[in-house]
Structures are given as C-alpha cells and as structure tokens.
Coordinates of all heavy atoms in Angstrom, one line a residue:
G1 N 138.3 24.1 100.7 CA 139.1 22.9 100.2 C 139.2 23.0 98.7 O 139.4 22.0 98.1
I2 N 139.0 24.2 98.0 CA 139.1 24.4 96.6 C 139.9 25.6 96.3 O 139.9 26.6 97.1 CB 137.7 24.6 95.9 CG1 137.0 25.7 96.4 CG2 136.9 23.4 96.0 CD1 135.6 26.1 95.7
T3 N 140.4 25.6 95.1 CA 141.2 26.9 94.7 C 140.2 27.8 94.1 O 139.5 27.4 93.2 CB 142.3 26.3 93.6 OG1 143.1 25.4 94.1 CG2 143.1 27.6 93.1
I4 N 140.3 29.0 94.7 CA 139.3 30.2 94.1 C 140.1 31.1 93.4 O 139.5 31.7 92.4 CB 138.7 30.7 95.4 CG1 137.8 29.6 96.0 CG2 137.9 31.9 95.1 CD1 137.3 30.1 97.4
F5 N 141.3 31.4 93.8 CA 142.2 32.5 93.1 C 143.3 31.9 92.5 O 144.0 31.1 93.0 CB 142.6 33.6 94.1 CG 141.6 34.0 95.1 CD1 141.3 33.5 96.3 CD2 140.6 35.0 94.6 CE1 140.4 34.0 97.2 CE2 139.6 35.5 95.3 CZ 139.5 34.9 96.7
S6 N 143.7 32.4 91.2 CA 144.9 32.0 90.5 C 146.2 32.4 91.4 O 146.1 33.5 92.1 CB 145.1 32.4 89.2 OG 145.2 33.9 89.2
E7 N 147.1 31.7 91.6 CA 148.2 32.1 92.3 C 149.6 31.5 91.8 O 149.5 30.6 90.9 CB 148.1 31.3 93.9 CG 149.0 32.0 94.9 CD 148.8 33.4 95.1 OE1 147.8 33.8 95.8 OE2 149.5 34.3 94.5
Q8 N 150.7 32.1 92.2 CA 151.9 31.7 91.3 C 153.0 31.2 92.5 O 153.0 31.7 93.5 CB 152.4 32.7 90.4 CG 153.0 34.0 90.9 CD 153.3 34.9 90.1 OE1 152.4 35.6 89.3 NE2 154.6 35.3 90.0
A9 N 153.9 30.5 91.9 CA 155.1 30.1 92.6 C 156.3 30.1 91.5 O 155.9 30.1 90.3 CB 155.0 28.8 93.4
N10 N 157.5 30.2 92.0 CA 158.6 29.8 91.0 C 159.6 28.9 91.6 O 159.9 28.8 92.7 CB 159.2 31.3 90.6 CG 159.8 32.1 91.7 OD1 160.7 31.7 92.4 ND2 159.1 33.1 92.0
F11 N 160.3 28.2 90.7 CA 161.2 27.2 91.1 C 162.2 27.1 89.9 O 162.0 27.6 88.8 CB 160.7 26.0 91.5 CG 159.9 25.1 90.4 CD1 160.6 24.3 89.4 CD2 158.5 25.4 90.2 CE1 159.8 23.7 88.4 CE2 157.8 24.7 89.2 CZ 158.5 23.8 88.3
K12 N 163.4 26.6 90.3 CA 164.4 26.3 89.3 C 164.6 24.7 89.2 O 164.5 24.1 90.2 CB 165.7 27.0 89.7 CG 165.6 28.5 89.6 CD 167.0 29.1 89.9 CE 166.7 30.6 89.8 NZ 168.2 31.4 90.1
Y13 N 165.0 24.3 87.9 CA 165.2 22.9 87.8 C 166.2 22.9 86.5 O 165.9 23.4 85.5 CB 163.9 22.1 87.2 CG 164.2 20.7 87.3 CD1 164.0 19.9 88.5 CD2 164.4 20.1 86.1 CE1 164.3 18.5 88.4 CE2 164.6 18.7 86.0 CZ 164.5 18.0 87.1 OH 164.8 16.6 87.1
N14 N 167.3 22.1 86.8 CA 168.5 22.2 85.9 C 168.8 23.6 85.4 O 169.0 24.4 86.3 CB 168.1 21.3 84.6 CG 168.1 19.7 85.1 OD1 168.7 19.3 86.0 ND2 167.3 19.0 84.3
E15 N 168.7 23.9 84.1 CA 169.1 25.2 83.6 C 167.9 26.1 83.5 O 168.0 27.2 82.8 CB 169.8 25.0 82.3 CG 171.1 24.3 82.4 CD 172.0 24.8 83.4 OE1 172.4 26.0 83.4 OE2 172.6 23.9 84.2
S16 N 166.6 25.7 83.8 CA 165.4 26.5 83.6 C 164.9 27.1 84.8 O 164.9 26.5 85.9 CB 164.4 25.7 82.9 OG 164.8 25.3 81.5
E17 N 164.2 28.3 84.7 CA 163.5 28.9 85.7 C 162.0 28.7 85.4 O 161.6 29.3 84.4 CB 164.0 30.3 86.0 CG 163.3 31.0 87.0 CD 163.9 32.4 87.4 OE1 164.9 32.7 86.7 OE2 163.3 33.1 88.2
Y18 N 161.3 28.2 86.3 CA 159.8 28.1 86.1 C 159.0 29.0 86.9 O 159.2 29.3 88.1 CB 159.4 26.6 86.4 CG 160.0 25.5 85.4 CD1 161.3 25.1 85.6 CD2 159.2 25.1 84.5 CE1 161.8 24.1 84.6 CE2 159.7 24.1 83.5 CZ 161.0 23.7 83.7 OH 161.4 22.8 82.8
Y19 N 157.9 29.4 86.2 CA 156.8 30.1 86.9 C 155.5 29.2 86.8 O 155.0 28.9 85.7 CB 156.5 31.5 86.4 CG 157.6 32.4 86.5 CD1 158.6 32.6 85.5 CD2 157.7 33.3 87.7 CE1 159.7 33.5 85.8 CE2 158.7 34.1 87.9 CZ 159.7 34.2 87.0 OH 160.7 35.1 87.2
L20 N 155.1 28.8 88.0 CA 154.0 27.9 88.0 C 152.8 28.7 88.4 O 152.7 29.5 89.4 CB 154.2 26.8 89.1 CG 153.1 25.7 89.3 CD1 153.8 24.5 89.9 CD2 152.1 26.1 90.4
I21 N 151.7 28.6 87.6 CA 150.4 29.2 87.8 C 149.3 28.3 88.2 O 149.0 27.4 87.3 CB 150.0 30.0 86.6 CG1 151.1 30.9 86.1 CG2 148.7 30.9 86.8 CD1 151.6 32.0 86.9
D22 N 148.9 28.2 89.3 CA 147.8 27.4 89.8 C 146.4 28.1 89.6 O 146.4 29.2 90.0 CB 147.9 27.1 91.4 CG 146.9 26.1 91.9 OD1 146.5 25.3 91.0 OD2 146.7 26.1 93.1
T23 N 145.5 27.5 88.9 CA 144.3 28.1 88.6 C 143.2 27.5 89.3 O 143.1 26.3 89.7 CB 144.1 27.9 87.0 OG1 143.9 26.5 86.8 CG2 145.3 28.5 86.4
P24 N 141.9 28.2 89.4 CA 140.8 27.6 90.0 C 140.2 26.5 89.1 O 140.2 26.5 87.9 CB 139.7 28.8 90.0 CG 140.7 30.1 89.9 CD 141.8 29.7 89.0
G25 N 139.7 25.6 89.8 CA 139.0 24.4 89.1 C 137.5 24.5 89.0 O 137.0 23.6 88.2
H26 N 136.9 25.4 89.7 CA 135.5 25.4 89.7 C 135.0 26.3 88.6 O 135.5 27.4 88.3 CB 134.9 25.8 91.0 CG 133.4 25.6 91.1 ND1 132.5 26.5 90.7 CD2 132.7 24.7 92.0 CE1 131.2 26.0 90.9 NE2 131.4 25.0 91.7
I27 N 133.9 26.0 87.9 CA 133.4 26.7 86.8 C 133.0 28.1 87.2 O 133.2 29.0 86.3 CB 132.1 26.0 86.2 CG1 131.7 26.6 84.9 CG2 131.0 26.0 87.2 CD1 132.5 26.5 83.8
D28 N 132.6 28.5 88.3 CA 132.2 29.6 88.8 C 133.4 30.8 88.8 O 133.2 31.9 88.8 CB 131.6 29.8 90.2 CG 130.1 29.5 90.1 OD1 129.7 28.9 89.0 OD2 129.3 29.6 91.1
F29 N 134.6 30.2 88.7 CA 135.8 31.1 88.8 C 136.7 31.0 87.5 O 137.9 31.2 87.5 CB 136.7 30.8 90.0 CG 135.9 30.7 91.3 CD1 135.5 29.6 91.8 CD2 135.4 31.9 91.8 CE1 134.7 29.5 92.9 CE2 134.6 31.9 92.9 CZ 134.3 30.6 93.5
S30 N 135.9 30.6 86.4 CA 136.7 30.2 85.2 C 137.2 31.6 84.4 O 138.3 31.4 83.8 CB 135.6 29.6 84.1 OG 135.3 28.3 84.5
P31 N 136.6 32.7 84.6 CA 137.3 33.9 84.1 C 138.7 34.1 84.5 O 139.6 34.4 83.8 CB 136.4 35.0 84.5 CG 135.0 34.4 84.6 CD 135.4 33.0 85.2
D32 N 138.9 33.9 85.8 CA 140.3 34.0 86.4 C 141.2 32.9 85.7 O 142.3 33.2 85.3 CB 140.3 33.8 87.9 CG 141.5 34.0 88.5 OD1 142.6 34.5 87.8 OD2 141.5 34.0 89.8
M33 N 140.7 31.8 85.5 CA 141.5 30.6 85.0 C 141.9 31.0 83.5 O 143.0 30.8 83.1 CB 140.7 29.4 85.0 CG 141.2 28.2 84.4 SD 140.6 27.9 82.6 CE 138.9 27.3 82.9
E34 N 140.8 31.6 82.9 CA 141.0 31.9 81.4 C 142.1 32.9 81.2 O 142.9 33.0 80.3 CB 139.7 32.2 80.8 CG 140.0 32.6 79.2 CD 138.6 32.7 78.4 OE1 137.5 32.6 79.1 OE2 138.6 33.0 77.2
R35 N 142.0 34.0 82.1 CA 143.1 35.0 82.1 C 144.5 34.4 82.3 O 145.4 34.9 81.6 CB 142.8 36.1 83.0 CG 141.5 36.9 82.7 CD 141.4 38.2 83.5 NE 141.2 37.9 85.0 CZ 140.0 37.8 85.5 NH1 139.0 37.8 84.8 NH2 140.0 37.4 86.9
A36 N 144.6 33.4 83.2 CA 145.9 32.9 83.5 C 146.5 32.0 82.2 O 147.7 32.2 81.9 CB 145.8 32.0 84.6
I37 N 145.5 31.6 81.5 CA 145.9 30.7 80.4 C 146.5 31.6 79.3 O 147.5 31.1 78.6 CB 144.7 30.0 79.8 CG1 144.2 28.8 80.5 CG2 144.9 29.6 78.3 CD1 143.0 28.2 80.1
S38 N 146.1 32.8 79.2 CA 146.7 33.8 78.2 C 148.1 34.0 78.4 O 148.7 34.6 77.5 CB 145.9 35.1 78.2 OG 146.3 35.8 79.4
I39 N 148.8 33.7 79.5 CA 150.2 34.0 79.7 C 151.1 32.7 79.8 O 152.2 32.8 80.0 CB 150.5 34.8 80.9 CG1 150.1 34.2 82.2 CG2 149.7 36.2 80.9 CD1 150.8 34.7 83.5
M40 N 150.4 31.6 79.6 CA 151.1 30.4 79.9 C 152.0 29.9 78.6 O 151.6 30.1 77.5 CB 150.1 29.2 80.1 CG 149.4 29.2 81.4 SD 148.2 28.1 81.6 CE 147.3 28.5 83.0
D41 N 153.1 29.4 78.7 CA 154.0 28.8 77.8 C 153.5 27.3 77.5 O 153.6 26.9 76.2 CB 155.4 28.9 78.1 CG 155.9 30.3 78.4 OD1 155.6 31.1 77.3 OD2 156.7 30.6 79.2
Y42 N 153.3 26.6 78.7 CA 152.7 25.2 78.6 C 151.7 25.1 79.6 O 151.7 25.8 80.7 CB 153.9 24.2 78.8 CG 154.9 24.1 77.6 CD1 156.0 25.1 77.6 CD2 154.8 23.2 76.6 CE1 156.9 25.0 76.5 CE2 155.6 23.2 75.6 CZ 156.7 24.0 75.7 OH 157.7 23.9 74.5
A43 N 150.8 24.2 79.4 CA 149.8 24.0 80.3 C 149.8 22.4 80.8 O 150.1 21.6 80.0 CB 148.3 24.1 79.8
I44 N 149.5 22.1 82.0 CA 149.5 20.8 82.6 C 148.0 20.5 83.0 O 147.5 21.2 83.9 CB 150.5 20.5 83.7 CG1 151.9 20.7 83.3 CG2 150.3 19.1 84.2 CD1 152.9 21.0 84.4
V45 N 147.4 19.5 82.3 CA 146.0 19.3 82.7 C 146.0 18.0 83.5 O 146.4 16.9 83.1 CB 145.2 19.1 81.4 CG1 143.7 18.7 81.8 CG2 145.1 20.5 80.7
I46 N 145.4 18.1 84.8 CA 145.3 16.9 85.5 C 144.0 16.2 85.4 O 142.9 16.9 85.5 CB 145.5 17.3 87.2 CG1 146.7 18.4 87.3 CG2 145.5 16.2 87.9 CD1 147.9 17.7 87.0

C-alpha cells in the first residue's frame, strides 16, 4: 500500500503535454525520489 518505485504517466491539458512522475514517499526509497527530482520542471508537494 505504498509507492516503492518512481513511475511515470503522461497526459494532455489545453495546449500542454504533461509528464507526471510519481515518487516513493518512504525515507528508505529516497534515492529514487531524489533522482526523479533532478528532471522535474515543477514539483507538487502533498
């Protein structure tokens, strides 16, 4: 019931094409999360 691996999806909205990167939330998988951060244009923090 937790995200362990970063995963991606893509969608279109209006005139833009989005790549959504879902990242692990547990501290033990933070290196994966940090690598994903390095390619983000914007981040959404929940």
